[in-house]
């Protein structure tokens, strides 16, 4: 038999109980267990903090994996590698021998590799007559394969937490923007409310968030900000309701003052009494029957414009009346004037104006002047060249495609 010898690094760490258990678990690997070594290495990189290994130690593990001839790690093949110190240093990007020994020891302590010592303490492989390796002494990568399921589970949890953190941070940013705009709009309109204390509370939540906040810290801040936003929306709702009551009473008074025994409706009817009924073109009637106007459902509106839901009574929208209340608050927050919104209601109807306002909120970051944009849509609606349906369907399509 041919024998290949490689000098081992001097010095050995004492065998601990954890190391013995790791080696025992590696030796008990079931037959047929296999993993792609580079996919498994990526999982180790993802879970490195949980595994208590540094990025330099991962560089050494990466170098060790390159000495396995196949990409697939399997119990049916040898998982012991026996590189020389020089070879290992080169593949570890020129790492010095002392640093190499330190990070090899870290990988052993973390239970990712194990030392398989030869009788003389050197790393080598004993080959058979056909050139195949009968037995090798060096670094055993079987512990890495033995912990593959655990490492993959750790990596998946860390990825999920990172995604949750990203979403929570985005929601904090949106909530932070909404609160600042709502308070600013309320102060501009001199709406009654506890704006100063709410702003102080809002700033204290934002300022308490550390630069590298954890998922728990961000989610706690998000709940606090959502409570503040709800409190602001409730106060603005009361203000809008009070304004509507005053407006209704004013309209009622004008109606009483303008009332006449012979109403305008009666006058118009008497004028048009002898006129023939208007005729409808047969082709127009057929076109209308073939292409009926289908009303938009509230569910579709809320699916396309989920942000508007936060401004409904109690933070939810259950009917069109709730959507109208929410749109009154949203248009104030967006800086849309009363006249622009009332013109939109007159041109396209209350429900359509509310839908358009919800769509503008959803696209607020891309619309420079929400008030001017609404006025341009109102002008189109007057000329019968605009309905909110295409806007809404575009938002629904963008959500379906992840855009």
């Amino acid at each position: 038999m041919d024998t290949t010898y490689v000098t081992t690094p001097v010095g050995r760490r004492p065998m601990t109980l954890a190391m013995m258990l790791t080696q025992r678990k590696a030796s008990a690997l079931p037959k047929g267990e296999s993993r792609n070594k580079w996919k498994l290495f990526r999982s180790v990189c993802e879970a490195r903090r949980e595994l208590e290994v540094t990025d330099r130690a991962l560089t050494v593990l990466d170098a060790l994996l390159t000495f396995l001839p196949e990409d697939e790690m399997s119990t049916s093949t040898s998982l012991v590698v026996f590189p020389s110190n020089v070879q290992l240093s080169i593949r570890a990007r020129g790492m010095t021998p002392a640093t190499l020994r330190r990070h090899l020891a870290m990988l052993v302590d973390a239970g990712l590799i194990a030392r398989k010592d030869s009788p003389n303490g050197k790393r080598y492989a004993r080959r058979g007559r056909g050139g195949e390796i009968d037995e090798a002494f060096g670094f055993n990568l079987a512990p890495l394969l033995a912990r593959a399921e655990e490492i993959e589970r750790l990596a998946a949890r860390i990825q999920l937490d990172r995604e949750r953190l990203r979403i929570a941070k985005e929601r904090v940013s949106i909530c932070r923007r909404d609160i600042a705009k709502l308070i600013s709009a309320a102060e501009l309109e001199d709406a009654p409310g506890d704006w100063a204390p709410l702003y102080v509370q809002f700033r204290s939540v934002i300022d308490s968030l550390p630069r590298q906040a954890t998922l728990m810290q961000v989610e706690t801040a998000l709940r606090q900000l959502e409570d503040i936003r709800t409190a602001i929306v409730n106060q603005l709702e009361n203000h809008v309701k009070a304004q509507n009551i005053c407006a209704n009473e004013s309209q009622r008074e004008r109606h009483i003052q303008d009332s006449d025994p012979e109403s305008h409706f009666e006058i118009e009817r008497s004028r048009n009494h002898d006129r023939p009924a208007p005729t409808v073109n047969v082709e127009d009637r057929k076109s209308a029957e073939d292409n009926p106007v289908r009303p938009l459902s509230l569910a579709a509106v809320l699916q396309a414009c989920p942000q508007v839901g936060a401004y409904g009574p109690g933070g939810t929208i259950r009917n069109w009346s709730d959507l109208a209340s929410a749109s009154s608050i949203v248009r104030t927050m967006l800086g849309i004037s009363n006249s622009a919104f009332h013109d939109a209601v007159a041109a396209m109807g209350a429900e359509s104006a509310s839908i358009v306002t919800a769509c503008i909120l959803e696209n607020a970051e891309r619309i420079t002047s929400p008030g001017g944009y609404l006025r341009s849509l109102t002008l189109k609606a007057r000329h019968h060249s605009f309905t909110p349906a295409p806007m809404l369907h575009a938002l629904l399509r963008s959500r379906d495609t992840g855009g």
Side-chain angles (χ1 to χ4, degrees):
M1 291 186 182
D2 296 332
T3 305
T4 305
Y5 291 95
V6 179
T7 306
T8 64
V10 294
R12 282 285 185 273
R13 294 167 69 90
M15 175 68 74
T16 64
L17 181 61
M19 292 179 192
M20 290 179 65
L21 291 173
T22 299
Q23 292 189 13
R24 185 178 180 85
K25 184 177 179 181
S27 63
L29 267 171
K31 291 291 183 182
E33 189 75 15
S34 66
R35 289 291 190 285
N36 181 286
K37 64 181 180 182
W38 299 124
K39 289 182 179 179
L40 184 54
F41 178 70
R42 282 196 292 273
S43 296
V44 174
C45 292
E46 191 75 67
R48 68 182 182 88
R49 286 192 177 86
E50 300 281 344
L51 298 171
E52 298 181 347
V53 291
T54 63
D55 53 348
R56 300 297 299 278
L58 291 176
T59 301
V60 177
L61 180 60
D62 181 23
L64 290 172
L65 287 171
T66 63
F67 289 100
L68 287 176
E70 303 293 335
D71 283 349
E72 201 73 13
M73 298 177 67
S74 172
T75 52
S76 60
T77 59
S78 175
L79 295 174
V80 178
V81 294
F82 44 94
S84 67
N85 293 336
V86 174
Q87 288 175 322
L88 190 55
S89 176
I90 290 170
R91 296 200 189 183
R93 295 160 180 80
M95 194 175 289
T96 63
T99 307
L100 203 59
R101 285 195 295 273
R102 188 167 69 252
H103 291 300
L104 282 167
M106 181 180 288
L107 292 172
V108 172
D109 291 343
L112 298 178
I113 66 172
R115 295 182 188 274
K116 185 178 180 182
D117 291 332
S118 65
N120 60 6
K122 296 181 179 181
R123 296 198 292 269
Y124 64 89
R126 188 178 294 120
R127 299 180 183 276
R129 292 180 180 179
E132 72 281 358
I133 296 175
D134 283 345
E135 191 171 12
F137 300 94
F139 298 108
N140 189 1
L141 296 170
L144 179 62
L145 183 58
R147 297 185 63 186
E149 187 176 343
E150 174 200 349
I151 292 167
E152 289 164 350
R153 193 166 52 247
L154 275 174
R157 180 177 60 78
I158 290 167
Q159 288 174 347
L160 180 62
D161 286 348
R162 186 168 60 245
E163 182 65 13
R164 284 178 59 193
L165 180 60
R166 184 188 65 79
I167 293 171
K169 282 183 175 179
E170 286 180 354
R171 291 177 63 189
V172 164
S173 297
I174 292 170
C175 204
R176 178 179 178 175
R177 179 199 68 190
D178 290 353
I179 290 170
K181 286 185 177 180
L182 284 168
I183 292 177
S184 177
E187 289 177 341
L188 282 173
E189 291 204 359
D190 291 328
D194 303 325
W195 310 127
L198 284 169
Y199 183 78
V200 171
Q201 187 181 354
F202 159 62
R203 285 309 319 174
S204 67
V205 173
I206 296 299
D207 295 339
S208 65
L209 268 177
R211 187 177 295 274
Q212 298 295 330
T214 63
L215 175 62
M216 184 178 294
Q217 288 172 324
V218 174
E219 287 184 337
T220 301
L222 178 61
R223 284 193 295 271
Q224 293 171 341
L225 290 173
E226 286 177 339
D227 289 343
I228 294 171
R229 183 173 64 181
T230 301
I232 296 170
V233 168
N234 288 340
Q235 293 191 36
L236 283 174
E237 275 180 359
N238 293 333
H239 175 60
V240 169
K241 286 177 182 176
Q243 281 186 326
N244 290 339
I245 291 170
C246 293
N248 290 337
E249 289 178 353
S250 176
Q251 288 175 1
R252 196 176 297 114
E253 287 175 5
R254 282 202 305 272
H255 176 70
I256 293 170
Q257 290 171 3
D258 295 341
S259 62
D260 191 88
E262 187 177 13
S263 68
H264 295 291
F265 174 73
E266 293 294 336
I267 292 170
E268 290 298 320
R269 189 172 63 175
S270 64
R271 285 177 181 172
N272 299 326
H273 181 70
D274 296 329
R275 292 184 183 177
T279 59
V280 179
N281 188 289
V282 175
E283 292 182 0
D284 292 344
R285 181 184 297 167
K286 186 176 185 302
S287 175
E289 290 172 356
D290 292 342
N291 301 287
V293 177
R294 296 181 181 177
L296 297 170
S297 68
L298 182 62
V301 175
L302 297 179
Q303 183 182 352
C305 310
Q307 291 187 50
V308 77
Y311 305 98
T316 56
I317 291 177
R318 296 174 293 275
N319 48 50
W320 289 105
S321 177
D322 289 349
L323 181 63
S325 298
S327 64
S328 296
I329 294 168
V330 167
R331 65 96 180 156
T332 304
M333 183 183 74
L334 293 173
I336 297 172
S337 64
N338 287 337
S339 61
F341 187 71
H342 291 157
D343 287 348
V345 171
M348 58 183 81
E351 285 185 6
S352 293
S354 299
I355 292 170
V356 170
T357 306
C359 291
I360 292 175
L361 173 65
E362 207 65 32
N363 291 310
E365 293 180 358
R366 295 191 289 272
I367 298 173
T368 308
S369 174
Y373 183 58
L374 181 61
R375 284 193 183 279
S376 69
L377 297 179
T378 301
L379 187 61
K380 290 181 179 179
R382 283 179 185 150
H383 292 87
H384 308 289
S385 61
F386 170 77
T387 63
M391 269 181 99
L392 204 67
H393 294 155
L395 282 170
L396 286 170
R397 282 196 301 273
S398 68
R399 291 196 172 278
D400 291 339
T401 58

